[in-house]
Amino acid sequence: MKLAILTTLAVSAAAFAPSQVAQTSTSLNAFDSELGAQEPLGFFDPLGLVSDGSEAKFDRLRYVEIKHGRVSMLAVVGYLIEKSGIRLPGAISYDGT
């Protein structure tokens, strides 16, 4: 009985031991040190937009993402200001006067 218990404990402990995983080298490893790459995923590119490893394309996509984030933050601020009741003076007329 004791042998069965010890064997079960040894097998269950081996199931939680760290496994040896070989490091794979891809072109995405070039971006692992960039800001935003976090463990355990590292650089996460599910659509494969920079799968060729182009630094210029990566920088352009990062710039566009920051720009769109800033525009969306301004949109939220505009919405909150309008919802709080603050209005610009004047009336909007469609005839241009």
Side-chain angles (χ1 to χ4, degrees):
M1 184 66 174
K2 290 181 183 179
L3 180 63
I5 293 173
L6 289 176
T7 305
T8 305
L9 287 174
V11 171
S12 65
F16 295 105
S19 63
Q20 300 295 329
V21 178
Q23 291 287 359
T24 58
S25 176
T26 65
S27 61
L28 294 180
N29 287 344
F31 305 118
D32 276 344
S33 63
E34 291 292 331
L35 182 67
Q38 299 176 351
E39 292 295 330
L41 294 176
F43 177 68
F44 186 63
D45 185 21
L47 298 177
L49 296 174
V50 288
S51 60
D52 57 352
S54 171
E55 186 75 27
K57 190 173 185 182
F58 176 78
D59 290 339
R60 165 107 172 96
L61 288 172
R62 175 164 281 180
Y63 168 76
V64 169
E65 181 179 8
I66 291 172
K67 180 180 72 168
H68 287 142
R70 289 176 178 163
V71 168
S72 66
M73 286 187 280
L74 284 173
V76 168
V77 169
Y79 172 78
L80 292 174
I81 288 174
E82 191 271 331
K83 267 309 210 192
S84 68
I86 300 172
R87 304 280 196 278
L88 294 175
I92 297 176
S93 62
Y94 290 112
D95 62 0
T97 59

